[in-house]
Amino acid sequence: CKMDKDENLGPGCDVSISEINNINKKIRKDILSLVHTDFFKYFKFDPFKKCTIWENNDGICFRRSCAVDVVEDWDSLPEYWQPEVLGSLDNDTSEQDDALHSKDDDASFLNQLCDNKDKAADALADDVNYYDINDFLSPDAVLVDLSKNPERFTGYGGQEAGQIWKAIYAENCFSSDEQDKCLAKDAFYRIVSGLHASIGTHLSNDHLNTTTGEWGPDLDLFMMRVGNFPERVSNIYFNYAIVAKSLYKIMPYLKELDFCNEYDNDVKQKMINIVSQLDSKIFDEDLMFQDDWDKSIQDDFRSRFKNVTKIMDCVHCDRCKMWGKVQTTGYATSLKILFELNEADETSRQHVVDHLTKFELISLLNTFDRLSKSIESINNFEVLYNERIDCD
Ligand code: FAD
C-alpha cells in the first residue's frame, strides 16, 4: 500500500513504521520462543459464557476450523497446571458459591504457582480493570494450549461476524462535547481497527486453499482486507506501539514479577531480552487524555473497552472467540498499565503491577506476539506484492 513508512504513526506515537519494523526484526525470535514456553502457551477461557449483549444470540459455527482443542491429556501438562493444583472446578453449589469457590481455588492456585498474595481476590476488589475479571473465574472455563490452536482462517464470517464488529465499533461513541477533537476517541477506534486488521492479516496469511487443500498466504485476500487500506495497516503498528510501551513501563518491575518456580529465570530472561530493545518514545500515553482531560472520559474509555471484551462472549466460532478473548484481555492489560500506573506513586504501583495476574500476563505477551506476527506477515506480503508487480 502507498504509505510513508518514515512518517510517525500519529498523535502519541513518536515512531515510524520503518522503526517498528526494525525493532520487530530484532525481537521476533524471542517473542516467538517466549509464547511457546509452558508459562505463556496455556490459556483459560469460558466458551459457554452467556452473551449479555443480545437477547437472541443463536448461531453456531460447525466448521472443524472453528473448534478449539481443549487440553484433555492432563498428564502432559507441567505440574502447576495439574487439577489438584488448580483445585476442583465443578462444585454442585449455587452460582454465587461457585464463583466464590473458584475464586478461592484460583487464588490458592496462584499462591502455589507464583508465591503471590491473593491476587485474584485483590483483582476483584479493584476498579482499574478494562476487562471482566470473572472471565477467568468461571467454573466452566476450559484450558487450552494456544500453540496447538493457531489463529488462522476459520471460515467464520457473514452477518454474524459483521454484527459483532458493528457492536464493537459502536462502543466508540464518547460522551464528550468535543467529540471530533477527542484523542481518546481516536485511540479507541485505532485499537479496535488495529485488532480487526490484525485478525484479517492472520486469516489471510494462514488461509486454506480449497482447491489444493493447503494452508498458506493469500495475497489477494490480504489486499482486500488490509493491504489496500493504509489506515488499517497503520493501526496495527499503532497497537504494537501501545502494547510495547506498556511492556516498557513494567520493565523496572520485571525482576519482581513471578513466573513460577523453575520456569522463572528462563522466562524472565526472555522477557528482559525483548523489553530491553524497546524505547519509551514509542508511545506517549500522557497525551491521550490531555486535551480534554476529564476523569469521566477516562472512566468512559475503561467501561467501553470492558464492553468490547464482553462482546467476545457473543462470537459463535470458538477459535475466534478464544483469540478474541486473548487479545482484548491483552489490550485491556496494556491500557491498565498505561493509564492506571503512575510510577511515581507507590500505591498505584502496588495496585497495578503487584496485582497483575497470570492470565493478564499471558494475554499481554500473546497479544504482542499476534501483532509482531502481523507485522512480519505484512512485510512478507509486501515482498509477494512487489514480485507480482515485477512480473506484470
Ligand atoms: P468484516 O471483517 O466482517 O468487516 C465488516 C466491515 O468492517 C467491513 O465491511 C469494513 O467496512 C469494516 N472493516 C473491516 N476491517 C476493518 C478495519 N481493520 N478497520 C476498520 N473497519 C474495518 N475469521 C477467521 O477466519 N479467523 C479468525 O481467527 C477470526 N477471528 C475473529 C474474531 C472476532 C472477534 C470476530 C468478530 C471475527 C473473527 N473472524 C475470524 C471473522 C473475520 O474477522 C471477518 O468478520 C470475516 O472474515 C468476514 O469478513 P468481511 O470481509 O465480511 O468483513
Side-chain angles (χ1 to χ4, degrees), residues 255-318:
K255 285 197 182 69
E256 294 158 37
L257 292 178
D258 292 304
F259 293 101
C260 304
N261 314 324
E262 71 237 58
Y263 300 100
D264 195 31
N265 279 338
D266 181 37
V267 170
K268 217 177 265 183
Q269 194 50 52
K270 284 193 168 80
M271 261 191 97
I272 290 171
N273 290 351
I274 294 166
V275 181
S276 57
Q277 299 289 334
L278 305 175
D279 190 319
S280 75
K281 71 167 190 175
I282 202 162
F283 184 73
D284 185 354
E285 62 278 18
D286 292 338
L287 286 179
M288 272 265 295
F289 296 103
Q290 201 183 40
D291 278 359
D292 40 359
W293 196 86
D294 175 351
K295 192 171 176 319
S296 70
I297 292 193
Q298 195 168 338
D299 290 345
D300 205 12
F301 193 98
R302 194 188 305 107
S303 86
R304 284 174 184 286
F305 200 83
K306 202 179 269 190
N307 285 346
V308 172
T309 69
K310 285 186 187 162
I311 293 171
M312 294 303 122
D313 297 324
C314 307
V315 173
H316 306 93
C317 148
D318 280 348

Side-chain angles (χ1 to χ4, degrees), residues 223-240:
M223 293 311 290
M224 239 159 44
R225 300 292 180 94
V226 183
N228 286 331
F229 304 87
E231 180 203 79
R232 295 180 189 176
V233 175
S234 157
N235 292 340
I236 295 179
Y237 282 82
F238 178 79
N239 285 4
Y240 188 96

Side-chain angles (χ1 to χ4, degrees), residues 152-154 156 161 164-165 169 189 193 196-197 225 232 320:
R152 59 172 166 182
F153 175 71
T154 59
Y156 181 50
I164 304 275
W165 286 119
Y169 286 107
Y189 175 78
S193 165
H196 195 168
R225 300 292 180 94
R232 295 180 189 176
C320 311

Side-chain angles (χ1 to χ4, degrees), residues 120-391:
D122 283 336
L124 266 185
D126 77 29
D127 58 354
V128 292
N129 286 310
Y130 290 64
Y131 74 104
D132 182 359
I133 56 152
N134 292 307
D135 278 352
F136 300 110
L137 306 177
S138 161
D140 296 324
V142 295
L143 193 63
V144 283
D145 179 343
L146 295 173
S147 67
K148 297 215 170 105
N149 292 278
E151 187 187 24
R152 59 172 166 182
F153 175 71
T154 59
Y156 181 50
Q159 209 191 331
E160 288 174 347
Q163 189 186 15
I164 304 275
W165 286 119
K166 208 169 152 199
I168 292 174
Y169 286 107
E171 286 298 329
N172 190 37
C173 185
F174 282 72
S175 51
S176 156
D177 290 342
E178 297 181 85
Q179 288 212 359
D180 292 341
K181 281 208 244 153
C182 178
L183 214 52
K185 181 176 174 265
D186 290 349
F188 193 99
Y189 175 78
R190 291 192 82 176
I191 294 171
V192 170
S193 165
L195 165 69
H196 195 168
S198 179
I199 291 173
T201 306
H202 292 300
L203 71 87
S204 316
N205 189 52
D206 205 353
H207 195 261
L208 180 65
N209 180 329
T210 45
T211 317
T212 62
E214 286 182 4
W215 291 84
D218 183 330
L219 177 61
D220 291 323
L221 189 64
F222 170 76
M223 293 311 290
M224 239 159 44
R225 300 292 180 94
V226 183
N228 286 331
F229 304 87
E231 180 203 79
R232 295 180 189 176
V233 175
S234 157
N235 292 340
I236 295 179
Y237 282 82
F238 178 79
N239 285 4
Y240 188 96
I242 286 198
V243 177
K245 181 61 189 291
S246 67
L247 288 170
Y248 180 86
K249 213 169 161 184
I250 56 167
M251 180 157 68
Y253 317 113
L254 274 183
K255 285 197 182 69
E256 294 158 37
L257 292 178
D258 292 304
F259 293 101
C260 304
N261 314 324
E262 71 237 58
Y263 300 100
D264 195 31
N265 279 338
D266 181 37
V267 170
K268 217 177 265 183
Q269 194 50 52
K270 284 193 168 80
M271 261 191 97
I272 290 171
N273 290 351
I274 294 166
V275 181
S276 57
Q277 299 289 334
L278 305 175
D279 190 319
S280 75
K281 71 167 190 175
I282 202 162
F283 184 73
D284 185 354
E285 62 278 18
D286 292 338
L287 286 179
M288 272 265 295
F289 296 103
Q290 201 183 40
D291 278 359
D292 40 359
W293 196 86
D294 175 351
K295 192 171 176 319
S296 70
I297 292 193
Q298 195 168 338
D299 290 345
D300 205 12
F301 193 98
R302 194 188 305 107
S303 86
R304 284 174 184 286
F305 200 83
K306 202 179 269 190
N307 285 346
V308 172
T309 69
K310 285 186 187 162
I311 293 171
M312 294 303 122
D313 297 324
C314 307
V315 173
H316 306 93
C317 148
D318 280 348
R319 177 84 60 107
C320 311
K321 182 190 288 197
M322 180 191 77
W323 281 109
K325 275 283 177 198
V326 169
Q327 292 171 84
T328 52
T329 311
Y331 289 121
T333 307
S334 274
L335 296 171
K336 175 161 81 170
I337 294 169
L338 290 178
F339 301 125
E340 313 294 335
L341 168 64
N342 171 3
E343 298 106 310
D345 173 11
E346 177 61 17
T347 320
S348 128
R349 188 187 78 86
Q350 282 175 5
H351 210 45
V352 177
V353 184
D354 294 354
H355 293 173
L356 282 177
T357 67
K358 175 183 169 63
F359 297 106
E360 289 177 312
L361 287 169
I362 293 172
S363 307
L364 181 64
L365 268 300
N366 274 286
T367 302
F368 197 43
D369 169 65
R370 294 296 72 215
L371 291 162
S372 162
K373 174 73 187 170
S374 283
I375 284 175
E376 187 182 63
S377 305
I378 289 170
N379 283 290
N380 290 341
F381 276 123
E382 188 182 20
V383 174
L384 292 180
Y385 185 80
N386 288 337
E387 280 171 5
R388 179 188 281 181
I389 290 183
D390 284 348
C391 289

